[in-house]
Amino acid sequence: MDTQQIKGKPIAEKVYAECLQELEVLKSGGHLPGLAVVLVGDDPASRAYVGSKERKCKELGLHSVKIELEEDCSQETLIAEIEKLNADDAIHGILVQLPLPGHLAEDEVILKISPAKDVDGLHPINIGKLAMDDATGFAPCTPLGCQRMLIETGMGISGKNVVIIGRSLLVGKSLGLLLLQKGEGGNATVTIAHSRTENLAQVASDADILVAAIGRPGFVTEDFVKEGAVVIDVGINRVEDASAKRGYRLVGDVDYDKVAPKCAAITPVPGGVGVMTIAMLMANTIRACRMAEEGKELEFRR
Ligand code: NAP
């Protein structure tokens, strides 16, 4: 089968081009979108993610602020920072880099972010809006990126049988809600599978669109995949590789070499979904600014 590789970069570039157009309009009206990223501790992967978000803000010309807190900072200190950012009119998007150190209560921290600035889309109000098909909220960035890739691939979502392996709010469950919504990019028939799902390979092999968001290298093998399916691999896993410069390489949740020949289209890792997350974060931040300038943040207070 001729397999299409769905690369993230050209789709992300398209999102950035749209962002630049919107930015021009906002800037001409004297408005500059601002994103604040809060980093607690010194986890190298989190630091790298925060660094790439900062770089992308600079590249596009967004206002960007990085708040760094010590690993042992208290819940009160972190919440006080969030409240300052909530009150700062130059900041339209607030992202707390997850995971937080174990002594901090993530759910409580996310609840403190103003829903109108919650560009990561994890506040219960935004998750509720997603579940209610209310487009005034923010959806999480990785699911938005997956949906955009599926739209751009042009193989259709409406009416398709989608199986998502993974039920995290950050990825699987939110993507399920997005693809289930009425309207463009939605109307799919969605199954969300997880570690307790029985006959997983059989369930997955019914999918027209199979999404892997598990966190296990090469978990999805060819017996999970129907001939002609579209496969989106969200997984980013480090596996040891003595021949690699850093001593490891990144692989997805899908055993690409075995699965790709059966697919109509598949995302690679790296080079697939990964770059879409930051693109959708930029898009959400710009939209948060536009909504604030239009007074639409009031939508969150209904
Ligand atoms: P997570 O919170 O750990 O969730 C993993 C999900 O996979 C859970 O629902 C879990 O089921 C399910 N699972 C684990 N083992 C399974 C098994 N043997 N069979 C079936 N299901 C199984 O992870 P996440 O945050 O969703 O991330 C998933 C992957 O995506 C990771 O590799 C992560 O690095 C990657 N990721 C990538 C991006 C990106 O930008 N591309 C963004 C976020 C995450 P239970 O709920 O039953 O435990």
Side-chain angles (χ1 to χ4, degrees), residues 11 50 62 71 74 94 106 124 146 187 235 245 249 275 301:
I11 302 174
V50 168
L62 267 66
E71 175 90 23
S74 68
I94 303 170
E106 260 174 34
C146 295
N187 287 329
K245 222 178 178 181
R249 68 194 155 85
V275 292
R301 298 191 195 127

Side-chain angles (χ1 to χ4, degrees), residues 142 166-168 194-195 200 213-216 219 234-237 277:
T142 302
R167 58 176 159 180
S168 72
H194 44 79
S195 66
L200 182 59
I214 311 161
R216 294 183 176 234
F219 183 87
V234 185
I236 299 180
N237 309 290
T277 300

